[in-house]
């Protein structure tokens, strides 16, 4: 159940060779963890694996060589990400830095920021988190109230972020803050790159219902960062962050988080499956293929420098529905004990618990549907 052959674009380079090389590398280097770790693997933190992946040239692929990157086409990176997720590789440590922080620094950051942060990202050694949601400003991101005031010493930050994935192991946060006093909604916002070992920052864990520590609260108590922490143009944070969210919402992780369950279902069904199970496998495969085509088409637009916010939101909305429905659909048709010790039972149990969160990360379904509606002129 790994890999695909057709593309909604002209693939650059020798994609087949790229897939073959990566699969060979994974066979030698991927940790053989419990099968459950292979589901939702872009939340699995393994810094040793991230560093090895970076050393092999599979992190920072689209960054310029002068910053330690591979100078690859974005769609070559897409193929690599697709393979890593299908294999269930533990890519969570470097995930956000590689997916969006690095490209945003390259696009909007200063030369000093590029030289300071991009080489570490490309090595799989520097990890980032996103400082967006706040109490009272989660789904309504324009209600951000964390304040950054410019002083002679630098930027003084006070406020709180919440639901911050990976803050407890990240080195930097790219935070959306309100820099213009008296501003409201999406005006007066800027982005700051904040080193998380700066005095005045407190990180507290949020433990989810499965007992996992992925999310955090982050508090800023009169935190001082240098003037050079500003990314891009002051007051243009809203424009910058919406471009960043296009990268976050449209990738293959939006339909491959539950892929391990589909692979386990195929294995458990065997060569002569029950007709109902065979029908479900066919339905899920066809839906995944459609989502893949949508995702890759959106990736092609991003690679061309476009800002396909509506398309990215469609991928996220439909992908979330697919990933959340899959465990329920499997449970409804397969005789599988809740406390069973087969791969299928373990994955089904884990994803029934974890999948409700899939529609929260990157924007709730209500927010995403609002973006789609506005983009289509429906509101």
């Amino acid at each position: 159940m790994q890999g695909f052959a057709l593309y909604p674009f002209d693939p650059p380079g020798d994609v087949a060779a790229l897939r073959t090389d990566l699969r060979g590398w994974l066979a030698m280097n991927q940790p053989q963890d419990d099968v459950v770790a292979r589901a939702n693997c872009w939340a699995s933190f393994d810094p040793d694996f991230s560093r090895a992946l970076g050393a092999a040239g599979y992190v920072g692929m689209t960054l310029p060589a002068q910053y330690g990157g591979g100078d690859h086409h974005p769609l070559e990176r897409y193929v690599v990400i697709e393979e890593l997720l299908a294999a269930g590789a533990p890519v969570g440590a470097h995930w956000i830095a590689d997916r969006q922080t690095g490209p945003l620094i390259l696009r909007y950051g200063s030369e000093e920021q590029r030289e300071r942060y991009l080489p570490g990202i490309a090595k799989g050694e520097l990890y980032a988190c996103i400082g967006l949601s706040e109490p009272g400003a989660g789904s309504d991101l324009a209600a951000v109230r964390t304040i950054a005031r410019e002083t002679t010493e630098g930027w003084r930050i006070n406020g709180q972020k919440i639901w911050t994935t990976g803050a407890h192991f990240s080195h930097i946060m790219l935070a959306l803050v309100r820099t213009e006093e008296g501003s409201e909604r999406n005006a007066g916002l800027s982005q700051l790159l904040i080193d998380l070992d700066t005095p005045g920052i407190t990180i507290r864990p949020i433990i989810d219902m499965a007992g996992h520590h992925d999310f955090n609260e982050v508090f800023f108590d009169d935190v001082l960062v240098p003037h050079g922490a500003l990314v891009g143009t002051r007051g243009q944070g809203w424009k910058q962050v919406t471009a960043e969210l296009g990268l976050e919402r449209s990738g293959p992780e939006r339909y491959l988080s539950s892929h391990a369950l589909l692979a386990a279902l195929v294995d458990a069904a065997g060569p002569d499956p029950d007709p109902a199970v065979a029908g479900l496998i066919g339905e899920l495969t066809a839906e995944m293929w459609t989502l893949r085509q949508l995702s890759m088409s959106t990736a092609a637009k991003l690679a061309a420098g476009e800002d396909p916010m509506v398309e990215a939101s469609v991928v996220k909305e439909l992908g979330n529905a697919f990933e959340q429905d899959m465990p329920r659909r499997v449970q409804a048709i397969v005789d599988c004990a809740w406390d069973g010790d087969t791969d299928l039972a373990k994955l089904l149990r884990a994803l029934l618990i974890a999948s409700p969160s899939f529609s929260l990360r990157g924007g709730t379904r209500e927010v995403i549907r609002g973006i789609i509606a506005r983009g289509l002129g429906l509101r």
Side-chain angles (χ1 to χ4, degrees), residues 41-52:
C41 64
W42 54 289
S44 295
F45 173 69
D46 185 336
D48 290 336
F49 181 81
S50 290
R51 282 191 291 267

Side-chain angles (χ1 to χ4, degrees), residues 149-157 222-229:
R149 293 289 176 255
E150 191 172 23
T151 70
T152 56
E153 301 172 284
W155 296 95
R156 288 276 179 189
I157 308 170
D222 212 28
V223 173
L224 178 65
V225 297
H227 294 288

Side-chain angles (χ1 to χ4, degrees), residues 101 127-132 161 164 167 170-176 192-196 218 220:
T101 310
Y127 312 137
C129 60
I130 308 166
L132 295 178
K161 297 294 180 179
T164 309
S170 294
H171 303 99
I172 57 174
M173 172 189 284
L174 185 58
L176 185 67
L192 296 179
L193 263 176
I194 303 168
D195 290 341
L196 289 176
V218 183
F220 300 92

Side-chain angles (χ1 to χ4, degrees), residues 1-4 19 22-23 35-44 77-89 91 95 99 248-264 284-285 287-293 295-296 315-316 318-324 326-327 347 351 355 358 361:
M1 291 294 295
Q2 295 182 25
F4 305 90
R19 286 192 188 279
L22 178 54
R23 290 179 186 182
V35 66
V36 173
R38 300 192 175 213
N40 196 28
C41 64
W42 54 289
S44 295
R77 178 186 177 273
Y78 188 102
V79 168
V80 167
I81 295 303
E82 187 176 51
E83 287 292 325
L84 290 170
L85 294 175
V91 295
W95 184 260
R99 179 183 65 184
E248 179 179 357
R249 291 171 172 164
S250 61
E253 68 272 22
R254 295 304 170 190
Y255 62 88
L256 286 175
S257 292
S258 299
H259 178 76
L261 178 62
L262 177 55
L284 293 172
T285 302
E287 291 168 24
M288 182 174 65
W289 180 263
T290 302
L291 285 165
R292 180 177 184 269
Q293 298 300 95
S295 174
M296 295 194 82
V315 172
K316 183 183 183 301
L318 295 179
N320 285 161
F322 173 74
E323 291 189 321
Q324 289 181 327
M326 186 192 297
L347 285 163
L351 285 169
S355 60
F358 293 175
R361 55 196 186 190

Side-chain angles (χ1 to χ4, degrees), residues 15-307:
V15 170
L18 181 62
R19 286 192 188 279
T20 299
D21 290 346
L22 178 54
R23 290 179 186 182
W25 187 90
L26 285 170
M28 296 293 294
N29 293 277
Q30 183 175 346
Q32 299 302 310
D33 294 325
D34 179 82
V35 66
V36 173
R38 300 192 175 213
N40 196 28
C41 64
W42 54 289
S44 295
F45 173 69
D46 185 336
D48 290 336
F49 181 81
S50 290
R51 282 191 291 267
L53 201 64
Y58 294 120
V59 182
M61 290 182 66
T62 62
L63 297 177
Q66 71 184 93
Y67 304 118
D71 267 329
H72 287 283
H73 192 278
L75 293 169
E76 291 178 287
R77 178 186 177 273
Y78 188 102
V79 168
V80 167
I81 295 303
E82 187 176 51
E83 287 292 325
L84 290 170
L85 294 175
V91 295
H94 67 272
W95 184 260
I96 290 173
D98 182 51
R99 179 183 65 184
Q100 61 202 93
T101 310
L104 188 131
I105 292 173
L106 181 65
R107 180 175 180 180
Y108 294 111
S110 65
E111 188 60 27
E112 179 183 355
Q113 289 168 340
R114 293 170 186 161
E115 292 177 354
R116 180 177 180 184
Y117 296 112
L118 295 184
I121 290 174
K123 290 178 181 178
E125 295 178 350
L126 192 150
Y127 312 137
C129 60
I130 308 166
L132 295 178
S133 296
E134 299 180 8
S139 298
D140 185 13
L141 187 57
V144 160
R145 283 289 174 264
T146 294
I147 295 170
R149 293 289 176 255
E150 191 172 23
T151 70
T152 56
E153 301 172 284
W155 296 95
R156 288 276 179 189
I157 308 170
N158 286 279
Q160 177 188 356
K161 297 294 180 179
I162 197 168
W163 306 118
T164 309
T165 301
H168 55 301
F169 60 72
S170 294
H171 303 99
I172 57 174
M173 172 189 284
L174 185 58
L176 185 67
V177 296
R178 195 163 293 281
T179 52
E180 312 309 311
E181 193 167 0
S183 63
E184 294 291 337
R185 304 301 297 163
N186 56 2
L189 298 172
S190 303
Q191 287 185 297
L192 296 179
L193 263 176
I194 303 168
D195 290 341
L196 289 176
D197 59 358
T198 305
I201 296 177
T202 302
I203 300 173
R204 296 178 183 168
I206 298 174
I207 307 301
D208 65 22
M209 65 185 292
H212 299 151
H213 176 198
D214 297 320
F215 302 118
N216 302 271
E217 295 178 281
V218 183
F219 299 86
F220 300 92
D221 184 10
D222 212 28
V223 173
L224 178 65
V225 297
H227 294 288
L230 178 69
V231 179
T233 304
R234 178 172 177 168
Q236 293 299 307
W238 185 261
K239 178 182 178 181
Q240 294 174 197
V241 82
T242 52
E244 178 187 0
L245 289 173
L247 297 169
E248 179 179 357
R249 291 171 172 164
S250 61
E253 68 272 22
R254 295 304 170 190
Y255 62 88
L256 286 175
S257 292
S258 299
H259 178 76
L261 178 62
L262 177 55
L265 179 62
V266 172
D267 291 340
D272 187 23
D274 177 273
V277 174
L280 177 60
I281 291 171
E283 291 172 7
L284 293 172
T285 302
E287 291 168 24
M288 182 174 65
W289 180 263
T290 302
L291 285 165
R292 180 177 184 269
Q293 298 300 95
L294 289 170
S295 174
M296 295 194 82
S297 295
T298 305
K301 289 191 174 186
L302 286 166
E306 299 179 39
D307 183 16

